[in-house]
């Protein structure tokens, strides 16, 4: 169990995927540039087995924006996108209707 | 900033909305029964200004399932759904493609 205060420490935002390219050093990872409204960040995400770049580009997704940055196989990741998993499939979370990039998740 | 370990303490799941009715004691709140695959729980959610019940029923949404239960105006809430906000609008988060209720968010 976690408290509501713990949950509220998490900063989740709507982000728009600007571009997606293959991580040069990891065959399951993408390097994604995402627009958070006031800034663009790079995410490293393990979506390559599940999505083609053009299925992600332009899409509004959900990103944890206050996670400590990580370096994954030599590439900086400045956030983590949310995706659900079932069996061998992974599906990104999206807002049910369109919202501007940067919109907070309550 | 939060650590990855802190983030992983959060248990997010895909849930299917089974039914939605008005909270008898609060004009902005709904009482929602949601299916988490192995159990059905009640959520109290402030979606009444933004959605009609039939716009939510049947939909797959995203719920924090390990939040301490709360009582809101006399009704038990056993989880919190995720929704994004912009200006006067609130939009629920959904998986971009269909997944079974209970699927974990990574």
């Amino acid at each position: 169990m976690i408290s509501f205060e713990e949950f509220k420490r998490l900063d989740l935002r709507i982000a728009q995927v600007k571009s997606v390219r293959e991580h040069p050093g990891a065959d399951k990872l993408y390097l994604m540039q995402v627009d958070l409204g006031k800034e663009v960040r790079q995410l490293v995400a393990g979506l390559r087995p599940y999505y083609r770049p053009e299925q992600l580009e332009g899409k509004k997704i959900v990103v944890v924006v206050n996670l400590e940055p990580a370096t994954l196989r030599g590439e900086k990741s400045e956030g983590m996108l949310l995706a659900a998993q079932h069996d061998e499939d992974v599906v990104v979370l999206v807002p049910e209707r369109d919202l501007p990039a940067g919109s907070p998740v309550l």
Side-chain angles (χ1 to χ4, degrees), chain A:
Chain A
M1 284 285 173
I2 63 169
S3 67
F4 188 69
E5 289 65 36
E6 269 182 283
F7 172 73
K8 294 308 282 181
R9 292 193 58 203
L10 196 68
D11 191 352
L12 291 168
R13 302 271 167 171
I14 302 299
Q16 184 165 31
V17 180
K18 306 306 283 181
S19 67
V20 179
R21 62 191 176 90
E22 298 180 353
H23 188 305
D27 64 6
K28 291 187 178 170
L29 300 180
Y30 279 135
L31 305 180
M32 300 171 61
Q33 302 296 320
V34 304
D35 181 359
L36 286 161
K38 289 178 179 161
E39 56 176 325
V40 173
R41 290 193 193 179
Q42 174 168 287
L43 313 183
V44 179
L47 292 179
R48 221 155 121 187
Y50 313 106
Y51 285 91
R52 297 188 303 277
E54 61 270 25
Q55 292 177 305
L56 293 166
E57 284 165 351
K59 204 178 282 296
K60 298 276 174 64
I61 61 172
V62 184
V63 173
V64 188
V65 299
N66 66 335
L67 210 57
E68 289 168 356
T71 300
L72 295 165
R73 304 271 182 115
E75 290 285 347
K76 196 170 177 186
S77 190
E78 306 167 297
M80 196 176 79
L81 63 83
L82 296 189
Q85 183 171 41
H86 175 68
D87 291 342
E88 300 299 302
D89 202 13
V90 170
V91 176
V92 296
L93 302 188
V94 298
E96 184 247 343
R97 285 183 282 110
D98 193 41
L99 282 175
S103 299
V105 173
L106 305 179

